[in-house]
Amino acid sequence: MELTNKYIVIKHYIEDAPKESHFKVKSEALGLSLEPGSDDVIVKNLYISIDPYLINRMKSHSASHNAISFATPLIPGKAIDALVIGKVIASGNAKFEKDDVVLGVFTWAEYSVVKEQSIIKKLESSEFPLTYHLGVLGFSGLTAYGGFFEICRPQKGEKVFVSAASGSVGNIVGQYAKLLGCYVVGCAGSQKKVELLKEKLGFDEAFNYKEEIDLNAAVKRYFPDGIDIYFDNVGGKMLEAAVDNMKAFGRVSVCGVISEYTNAENKASPNMLNLVYKRITIRGFLAADFMNVFGDFTDKTLDYLRDGQLKVIEDRSLGVESIPSAFVGLFNGDNVGKKIVVLADD
Amino acid sequence: MELTNKYIVIKHYIEDAPKESHFKVKSEALGLSLEPGSDDVIVKNLYISIDPYLINRMKSHSASHNAISFATPLIPGKAIDALVIGKVIASGNAKFEKDDVVLGVFTWAEYSVVKEQSIIKKLESSEFPLTYHLGVLGFSGLTAYGGFFEICRPQKGEKVFVSAASGSVGNIVGQYAKLLGCYVVGCAGSQKKVELLKEKLGFDEAFNYKEEIDLNAAVKRYFPDGIDIYFDNVGGKMLEAAVDNMKAFGRVSVCGVISEYTNAENKASPNMLNLVYKRITIRGFLAADFMNVFGDFTDKTLDYLRDGQLKVIEDRSLGVESIPSAFVGLFNGDNVGKKIVVLADD
């Protein structure tokens, strides 16, 4: 039996803002009978996580990060790997059988032929939608959990600022912070997002950074006595404004700098004098560093989900052809919450 | 009895690089008989610590640091406070008597009339020169100790980069790091300083940053496999070059950014993508944060001094009139080691 597999590639390296025209849908014939002796697994992809960090792998020059596998450059014309939930349709590996639902590093494709080491885990049926394993119960959630609790060591009552606050990670950070008893302000790029943060997610305040002429003044308005914790998703001018408004011993955790990914001009120059005099810590991190607390993260997050205290915001597109626009949209602020492309239902 | 007290003031606020012409020597008559009921102490100043951070208090606009007392602006025409060792010549305070030698926050002056709370401690006679209490056994040493051991948590064998490495703090950091068993490279601003670092202080390597066209390439030359710890005294382009060459989980401690104090254009824009992917921590600190480990610091440092393992580098000028040039010289790299102005011998 043979089917046609559509997948997405970059036509060439992308040095600044991604456009849909930088991508192409390719097709290949895919046989479902595995070679004798092969331990490959063929997965029908159901849900694909769309994440901004991939832009860094689409640049020709990722050399400075070459020690880190998930920062290695992609190859134009070749399949792009991403976090995916899929269903096994053929398996040469004794550990996996047909109809197993698996989470792993597969591809921006309808089907992926993968090795065992690309499969992170089997997903059993659960009380929550499978897609939660790409977001709130997956790496977005772990990024929020590790970056907030482990890096920032928050205390009840502290003042927390979150940028890209309606994004996949920021919305969870803000909710964790509220549930801990912090004062939480988020910034986002539209009035609709601001309303979501305040009305649905319980942020104390939120503002639309695109409507602010002076970011420093905007931040000061919401933090007249200063910020204890800034959870940074964006870098650039917002990071500068946050550092200018930190309290003594303030902590900045940086999980991404989306405003810098596509515009090299947009580099943050945080005030180092403030850094010294206020004893500020700025720390970069990756979710993968917190696999040791994955159990704690899951327990706490499941409790919050079961109580209905943690709201889940997903933004879905349909079909493999929608992947380029879904990805490009991340950089235009089109998504609200975790961006997922749905290829088929489980 | 009355004497003449000469002291140094700024004529006006200083917004960029300090010049000797920005300062003035003033004189005042000083009576040695204290008012009845006064608990003042009159100190004849012997040794004055000359520190670059004072430039930040000579700017008109230190508002963003206004919560921190040692960052409050100085007043033109008024005495300038600084760390000083002096001898009590008159005392209305029962805790201090004539000929006590005291360390405290006094003034850039021949004599200072001070309150009890300005006196940090009495200095007993010791096996080492009194001036060590301004440098290696004082705040310079504590800055080196706290910033290196407490902030950076170094391990034997780690690769350590120190900027302003022949300065009052940097030279001690580099020596601590060597004594711990690290690989240590320092940068400084002259060939003479480079030789001092390598030949007298035992640094593995050192380079003259003024002779490097490409700082990033210079740092890479000495750290082909990356830096674990960067002890930053300068900020600006050197901080950027260090961040570009950090290893994963690298730590940057920042005790000052002398290249940024006098030139607002010289702001560091460390590569935030590196910060995230390499999980780098950049942390500002002040020596005062480490008073809780002052005992440990003193014990360790005295041991090293007694063994002759730690070399002390002092750079002395003579007389109150030499203070402006001593201070201005800090920003031109004139000093080698701890800068001290000697007013009289103990």
Side-chain angles (χ1 to χ4, degrees):
Chain A
M1 188 187 157
E2 197 175 85
L3 42 78
T4 301
N5 182 28
K6 281 193 271 189
Y7 61 104
I8 306 296
V9 302
I10 50 172
K11 293 179 187 168
H12 45 69
Y13 287 114
I14 302 170
E15 305 304 343
D16 41 30
K19 296 186 190 134
E20 288 186 52
S21 61
H22 296 153
F23 297 88
K24 193 163 75 174
V25 184
K26 285 179 83 169
S27 292
E28 63 184 359
L30 180 67
L32 289 191
S33 53
L34 294 160
E35 299 280 315
S38 161
D39 61 356
D40 286 353
V41 177
I42 304 179
V43 176
K44 180 182 184 187
N45 296 327
L46 306 175
Y47 306 109
I48 298 183
S49 175
I50 306 295
D51 297 298
Y53 80 89
L54 268 181
I55 191 69
N56 299 315
R57 301 187 55 201
M58 295 174 182
K59 295 173 186 167
S60 59
H61 192 70
S62 306
S64 64
H65 316 303
N66 60 8
I68 298 153
S69 64
F70 40 99
T72 50
L74 297 167
I75 299 167
K78 298 287 184 189
I80 293 166
D81 42 291
L83 207 63
V84 176
I85 292 168
K87 190 175 265 182
V88 174
I89 56 171
S91 176
N93 186 305
K95 292 185 189 157
F96 300 96
E97 59 186 37
K98 191 163 177 304
D99 293 335
D100 278 352
V101 175
V102 289
L103 170 73
V105 181
F106 308 153
T107 45
W108 278 6
E110 293 177 305
Y111 300 89
S112 303
V113 181
V114 303
K115 299 284 180 198
E116 182 181 331
Q117 60 266 31
S118 297
I119 299 173
I120 297 170
K121 63 177 173 182
K122 279 192 219 183
L123 299 177
E124 310 298 334
S125 68
S126 93
E127 70 224 88
F128 298 111
L130 275 180
T131 50
Y132 283 21
H133 293 283
L134 295 181
V136 69
L137 293 172
F139 277 98
S140 303
L142 185 62
T143 304
Y145 183 90
F148 184 61
F149 292 107
E150 298 289 315
I151 301 264
C152 296
R153 300 272 165 198
Q155 300 293 318
K156 184 177 173 178
E158 285 196 313
K159 302 201 185 318
V160 176
F161 180 44
V162 185
S163 60
S166 73
S168 59
V169 173
N171 90 80
I172 304 173
V173 171
Q175 292 188 80
Y176 280 147
K178 277 311 300 171
L179 288 165
L180 181 67
C182 296
Y183 167 81
V184 183
V185 179
C187 69
S190 74
Q191 197 49 39
K192 185 181 134 207
K193 290 176 180 176
V194 165
E195 280 161 25
L196 173 84
L197 295 174
K198 292 203 286 189
E199 285 159 29
K200 183 160 179 190
L201 303 185
F203 283 55
D204 294 287
E205 295 286 352
F207 66 93
N208 178 355
Y209 71 89
K210 291 182 182 168
E211 287 180 354
E212 300 290 343
I213 295 158
D214 179 345
L215 287 181
N216 197 317
V219 173
K220 196 179 287 300
R221 191 163 69 231
Y222 295 105
F223 295 95
D225 303 319
I227 300 168
D228 292 295
I229 290 172
Y230 172 47
F231 194 98
D232 187 21
N233 280 296
V234 304
K237 296 291 169 205
M238 194 63 83
L239 174 57
E240 294 177 14
V243 167
D244 281 343
N245 287 284
M246 296 304 283
K247 283 194 198 179
F249 301 102
R251 291 140 274 159
V252 178
S253 72
V254 187
C255 78
V257 287
I258 195 167
S259 79
E260 303 189 20
Y261 290 164
T262 57
N263 184 350
E265 308 265 292
N266 217 350
K267 289 175 77 175
S269 297
N271 185 320
M272 298 301 290
L273 227 67
N274 274 333
L275 187 105
V276 174
Y277 279 89
K278 296 188 183 171
R279 296 85 128 194
I280 295 168
T281 302
I282 302 179
R283 187 165 158 195
F285 74 97
L286 296 170
D289 301 338
F290 298 107
M291 290 311 292
N292 61 318
V293 295
F294 198 89
D296 297 339
F297 150 65
T298 306
D299 291 347
K300 176 176 272 201
T301 306
L302 281 172
D303 283 349
Y304 285 148
L305 287 171
R306 284 178 187 132
D307 291 352
Q309 293 180 289
L310 190 64
K311 307 285 188 294
V312 176
I313 314 291
E314 289 184 350
D315 188 320
R316 295 170 168 224
S317 306
L318 296 179
V320 72
E321 288 90 347
S322 77
I323 292 175
S325 71
F327 180 71
V328 169
L330 296 176
F331 299 89
N332 301 329
D334 293 346
N335 62 307
V336 179
K338 179 69 195 176
K339 186 72 198 181
I340 291 168
V341 169
V342 178
L343 302 187
D345 274 317
D346 50 290
Chain B
M1 186 186 160
E2 197 175 84
L3 42 75
T4 302
N5 182 27
K6 281 193 272 187
Y7 61 105
I8 306 296
V9 302
I10 49 171
K11 294 180 188 168
H12 44 68
Y13 287 115
I14 302 171
E15 305 304 344
D16 42 29
K19 296 188 189 133
E20 289 185 52
S21 61
H22 295 153
F23 297 88
K24 193 164 74 174
V25 184
K26 285 179 84 168
S27 291
E28 63 183 359
L30 181 67
L32 289 190
S33 53
L34 293 161
E35 299 280 315
S38 162
D39 61 356
D40 285 353
V41 177
I42 303 180
V43 176
K44 179 180 183 189
N45 296 327
L46 306 174
Y47 306 109
I48 298 183
S49 175
I50 306 294
D51 297 297
Y53 79 87
L54 267 181
I55 189 69
N56 299 315
R57 301 188 54 202
M58 295 175 183
K59 296 173 186 168
S60 60
H61 192 72
S62 306
S64 65
H65 315 304
N66 59 7
I68 299 153
S69 63
F70 41 97
T72 49
L74 297 167
I75 299 166
K78 299 286 183 189
I80 292 168
D81 41 292
L83 207 64
V84 176
I85 292 169
K87 190 175 268 183
V88 174
I89 57 172
S91 176
N93 186 306
K95 293 186 187 155
F96 301 96
E97 59 187 38
K98 193 163 176 304
D99 294 335
D100 279 351
V101 176
V102 288
L103 169 73
V105 181
F106 309 152
T107 46
W108 278 6
E110 293 177 306
Y111 300 90
S112 303
V113 180
V114 303
K115 300 284 180 197
E116 182 182 331
Q117 59 265 32
S118 297
I119 299 174
I120 297 170
K121 63 177 174 184
K122 280 193 219 184
L123 299 176
E124 310 299 334
S125 70
S126 93
E127 70 224 88
F128 297 112
L130 276 179
T131 51
Y132 283 21
H133 293 284
L134 295 181
V136 68
L137 293 172
F139 277 99
S140 302
L142 185 62
T143 304
Y145 184 90
F148 184 60
F149 291 108
E150 298 289 315
I151 300 266
C152 296
R153 301 272 165 199
Q155 300 293 317
K156 184 177 172 175
E158 285 197 311
K159 303 202 186 314
V160 176
F161 180 44
V162 185
S163 60
S166 73
S168 60
V169 174
N171 90 80
I172 304 173
V173 171
Q175 292 188 81
Y176 280 148
K178 278 310 302 171
L179 288 165
L180 180 68
C182 297
Y183 167 83
V184 182
V185 179
C187 69
S190 75
Q191 197 51 39
K192 186 182 135 208
K193 291 177 180 176
V194 165
E195 280 161 24
L196 173 84
L197 294 174
K198 291 202 287 189
E199 285 159 30
K200 182 158 180 192
L201 303 185
F203 282 55
D204 293 286
E205 296 285 352
F207 66 93
N208 178 354
Y209 71 89
K210 290 181 182 167
E211 287 180 354
E212 301 290 344
I213 295 159
D214 179 345
L215 287 181
N216 196 317
V219 174
K220 195 178 288 301
R221 192 163 69 232
Y222 295 104
F223 295 94
D225 303 319
I227 300 168
D228 292 295
I229 291 172
Y230 172 47
F231 193 98
D232 188 19
N233 281 296
V234 303
K237 295 291 170 204
M238 194 62 85
L239 174 57
E240 294 177 13
V243 167
D244 280 344
N245 287 285
M246 297 303 283
K247 283 194 198 179
F249 300 102
R251 290 140 275 158
V252 178
S253 71
V254 187
C255 77
V257 288
I258 194 168
S259 79
E260 303 189 20
Y261 290 164
T262 57
N263 185 349
E265 307 263 294
N266 217 351
K267 288 176 77 175
S269 297
N271 184 320
M272 298 301 290
L273 228 66
N274 274 333
L275 186 104
V276 174
Y277 279 91
K278 295 187 182 171
R279 294 85 128 196
I280 295 168
T281 302
I282 302 179
R283 188 166 158 195
F285 73 98
L286 296 170
D289 301 337
F290 298 108
M291 290 310 292
N292 61 318
V293 295
F294 198 88
D296 297 339
F297 150 65
T298 306
D299 291 348
K300 176 176 272 199
T301 306
L302 281 171
D303 284 348
Y304 285 148
L305 286 171
R306 286 179 185 130
D307 292 351
Q309 293 180 289
L310 190 64
K311 307 286 187 292
V312 176
I313 314 291
E314 289 185 349
D315 188 320
R316 293 170 170 226
S317 307
L318 296 178
V320 72
E321 288 90 348
S322 77
I323 292 175
S325 71
F327 181 71
V328 169
L330 296 176
F331 300 90
N332 302 329
D334 293 346
N335 63 306
V336 179
K338 178 70 196 176
K339 186 72 198 178
I340 291 167
V341 170
V342 178
L343 301 187
D345 274 319
D346 52 291

